[in-house]
């Protein structure tokens, strides 16, 4: 018999990687961005349909992802100027 029989299994915690710093964390500790038909947007629920990418909620990761085109590569798209500015403005509200 198994030693864990009758005991509940530990809950699975999904892991994701920040596209800027490549640190692996739980999905809930990162911000999801999604490429959809409307363009690239922040997905607060983490459940919208479309290709997604994850970033820390730190200004440095957002700046690096936009500056080095890491976000474009992860989402396999080209960011429009207004999308880039909207994401940059959001990144500027985040802590260092």
């Amino acid at each position: 018999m198994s030693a864990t029989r009758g005991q509940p299994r530990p809950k699975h915690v999904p892991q994701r990687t920040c596209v800027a710093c490549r640190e692996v964390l739980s999905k809930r500790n990162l911000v999801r961005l999604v490429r959809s038909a409307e363009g690239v947007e922040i997905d607060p629920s983490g459940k919208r349909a479309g290709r997604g990418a994850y970033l820390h909620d730190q200004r440095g990761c957002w700046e690096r992802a936009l500056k080095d085109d890491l976000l474009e590569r992860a989402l396999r798209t080209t960011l429009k100027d207004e999308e880039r500015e909207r994401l940059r403005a959001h990144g500027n509200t985040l802590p260092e």
Side-chain angles (χ1 to χ4, degrees):
M1 276 206 266
S2 172
T4 60
R5 186 172 223 170
Q7 296 177 359
R9 293 177 63 182
K11 184 168 174 69
H12 173 71
V13 179
Q15 301 288 301
R16 299 294 183 263
T17 303
C18 174
V19 298
C21 68
R22 308 300 299 167
E23 185 176 345
V24 177
L25 292 170
S26 71
K27 181 179 174 180
R28 293 290 164 202
N29 290 341
L30 297 169
V31 178
R32 182 174 189 252
L33 294 110
V34 65
R35 181 194 76 197
S36 64
E38 296 85 36
V40 176
E41 300 173 354
I42 297 171
D43 179 12
S45 69
K47 297 180 181 179
R48 289 194 51 201
R51 183 163 185 86
Y54 292 85
L55 286 171
H56 273 112
D57 56 352
Q58 297 172 359
R59 188 178 308 167
C61 285
W62 285 71
E63 288 173 353
R64 180 163 184 241
L66 291 169
K67 183 184 85 167
D68 295 342
D69 296 329
L70 298 173
L71 193 56
E72 289 182 340
R73 194 172 319 140
L75 294 173
R76 298 182 186 162
T77 189
T78 302
L79 291 174
K80 298 174 189 155
D81 290 335
E82 59 269 9
E83 291 171 338
R84 186 177 296 277
E85 287 307 313
R86 187 170 13 95
L87 294 173
R88 185 171 282 125
H90 176 78
N92 288 336
T93 64
L94 299 172
E96 290 289 328

